[in-house]
Amino acid sequence: MADAAVIEKLEAGFKKLEAATDCKSLLKKYLSKAVFDQLKEKKTSLGATLLDVIQSGVENLDSGVGIYAPDAEAYTLFSPLFDPIIEDYHVGFKQTDKHPNKDFGDVNTFVNVDPEGKYVISTRVRRGRSMEGYPFNPCLTEAQYKEMEAKVSSTLSSLEGELKGTYYPLTGMSKEVQQKLIDDHFLFKEGDRFLQAANACRYWPTGRGIYHNDNKTFLVWVNEEDHLRIISMQMGGDLGQVFRRLTSAVNEIEKRIPFSHHDRLGFLTFCPTNLGTTVRASVHIKLPKLAANREKLEEVAGKYNLQVRGTRGEHTEAEGGIYDISNKRRMGLTEFQAVKEMQDGILELIKMEKEM
């Protein structure tokens, strides 16, 4: 059971949320008094409480979601709060639904969406993974960070062929290496205020690092927001090549490192917006004619469940008419379906741009 000091902080946090009438987070929407009272004394076997779940959203009232999972068990123990938020965010994934089993499908179905190289600047597909038996950021000890890094770096160092590369720990990184990784847009920074408030940045930079292959088309972030962010990317529109590279990498890593998986929710990560397939497949794409009518662009994108963002991700502008367009759905469909939906949508957008 949670101790008195934690419960006192929780009560204060709940009052703060109640008083914040202009707060629009999913946390505020679904943390009713009844749910709060039902969960406030609970504690996972690793010692995580409701406070670990909600503290970022209490601290940052402008959060969109406002909750994180301190460990895998939290998704089950605090399900009266997580489940409705997951259903709301992952539109169409109801509380009675079960995420399908992992299925990469026939990877040869995926193509180069822009063989002429006129529209797509680059293509990227990423997945998040958590290592089984370890909690997520807020509950990790310094020793666990180091142990995880050792396991992951030795696994990655054994990759061969196109995936062969180098692991760069953030600890003790030289200025030259740091600059090189910044120039390649590979280096991640310490978390933003939302992650800081969730206690996701402790012992920084211990246990954090970056692996990339020699061609700079395959990248793994270790212990950033998630235990592992596995990324495949390249210039141009060859989604097939990008997806096949990622799939073979994930399969290789999984042979040596078991991942956290939940029967109903699929692959588990720190943030409930990133469950199930955890797949985000995106392109940087120039669509000058369609972009002139942002509403039209959004409408077509919506039809294929695509998300349109500015060039540098969420809440940014499109620089030089270049958009970041990705699949929106991660839950309730397979990895194959999620990426296929994105491919179909991008092909349709290019077709429309050509016809305008």
Side-chain angles (χ1 to χ4, degrees):
M1 185 175 145
D3 62 39
V6 167
I7 293 174
E8 195 179 325
K9 278 186 187 159
L10 273 167
E11 296 283 3
F14 185 68
K15 280 205 179 75
K16 181 179 171 184
L17 276 173
E18 265 192 325
T21 45
D22 52 353
C23 172
K24 295 186 173 52
S25 69
L26 295 180
L27 166 63
K28 176 162 168 80
K29 186 172 172 184
Y30 292 105
L31 187 64
S32 64
K33 184 78 174 103
V35 170
F36 177 76
D37 287 338
Q38 181 188 352
L39 301 178
K40 67 181 181 188
E41 294 178 354
K42 296 193 170 185
K43 198 173 182 176
T44 67
S45 50
L46 290 168
T49 67
L50 184 62
L51 187 61
D52 295 300
V53 175
I54 70 170
Q55 59 194 355
S56 180
V58 168
E59 182 74 24
N60 299 290
L61 294 170
D62 58 342
S63 299
V65 179
I67 64 169
Y68 290 100
D71 59 25
E73 189 194 336
Y75 280 112
T76 308
L77 188 65
F78 302 109
S79 62
L81 179 59
F82 275 104
D83 285 353
I85 286 179
I86 288 167
E87 179 177 8
D88 190 312
Y89 183 88
H90 299 274
V91 183
F93 189 79
K94 293 196 275 304
Q95 296 181 45
T96 47
D97 289 347
K98 182 184 177 302
H99 183 76
N101 290 334
K102 179 180 76 178
D103 179 12
F104 298 140
D106 176 3
V107 294
N108 294 314
T109 313
F110 297 108
V111 298
N112 187 332
V113 293
D114 179 24
E116 298 165 18
K118 280 188 186 168
Y119 305 99
V120 177
I121 295 165
S122 61
T123 304
R124 177 178 183 266
V125 185
R126 67 109 163 114
R127 298 196 186 121
R129 288 289 186 270
S130 304
M131 294 166 69
E132 210 172 66
Y134 290 94
F136 304 152
N137 279 322
C139 298
L140 283 170
T141 63
E142 190 166 13
Q144 284 173 318
Y145 272 118
K146 288 178 174 167
E147 190 181 298
M148 289 161 77
E149 180 182 40
K151 277 186 190 175
V152 173
S153 60
S154 74
T155 296
L156 294 172
S157 302
S158 67
L159 293 175
E160 287 171 356
E162 165 176 50
L163 302 173
K164 186 173 160 6
T166 312
Y167 179 74
Y168 301 94
L170 256 57
T171 306
M173 183 179 279
S174 72
K175 281 277 179 278
E176 296 80 54
V177 170
Q178 196 177 2
Q179 194 52 52
K180 191 164 78 70
L181 292 170
I182 289 172
D183 293 344
D184 288 327
H185 301 292
F186 287 174
L187 193 67
F188 54 84
K189 300 185 187 67
E190 198 171 337
D192 58 24
R193 63 191 164 93
F194 300 97
L195 290 169
Q196 296 274 359
N199 271 338
C201 312
R202 295 192 305 174
Y203 313 114
W204 193 274
T206 302
R208 277 75 167 191
I210 292 160
Y211 174 92
H212 71 75
N213 67 344
D214 300 336
N215 299 339
K216 299 183 180 179
T217 54
F218 170 65
L219 181 67
V220 182
W221 283 359
V222 180
N223 283 324
E224 183 241 5
E225 178 178 323
D226 287 314
H227 295 174
L228 295 172
R229 281 275 169 100
I230 307 167
I231 304 160
S232 171
M233 66 210 167
Q234 66 194 47
M235 301 311 284
D238 199 337
L239 179 62
Q241 212 174 0
V242 172
F243 187 74
R244 287 188 284 277
R245 182 186 306 116
L246 182 65
T247 299
S248 68
V250 170
N251 290 338
E252 279 305 310
I253 295 169
E254 200 164 14
K255 282 178 194 165
R256 304 175 180 87
I257 297 176
F259 296 137
S260 284
H261 191 272
H262 185 284
D263 272 352
R264 188 176 94 77
L265 301 174
F267 287 101
L268 297 180
T269 61
F270 183 45
C271 182
T273 63
N274 195 24
L275 298 168
T277 61
T278 75
V279 164
R280 181 173 190 264
S282 62
V283 289
H284 273 169
I285 187 167
K286 275 194 305 242
L287 299 165
K289 292 175 189 159
L290 261 177
N293 183 350
R294 177 82 189 237
E295 272 173 30
K296 180 78 179 153
L297 178 62
E298 295 273 7
E299 183 195 326
V300 181
K303 208 162 64 182
Y304 288 92
N305 297 304
L306 297 178
Q307 184 173 33
V308 181
R309 298 176 171 183
T311 316
R312 306 220 172 269
E314 244 168 336
H315 319 304
T316 63
E317 289 305 306
E319 297 167 17
I322 297 168
Y323 287 94
D324 174 311
I325 300 182
S326 64
N327 64 302
K328 208 179 207 162
R329 300 203 301 159
R330 319 211 191 296
M331 293 194 82
L333 73 177
T334 64
E335 287 77 359
F336 175 81
Q337 289 167 328
V339 180
K340 181 77 170 68
E341 192 165 63
M342 178 265 198
Q343 173 171 288
D344 294 345
I346 296 296
L347 288 169
E348 181 61 28
L349 286 171
I350 290 175
K351 183 167 162 275
M352 287 177 68
E353 180 72 19
K354 282 180 174 168
E355 287 166 358
M356 281 173 88

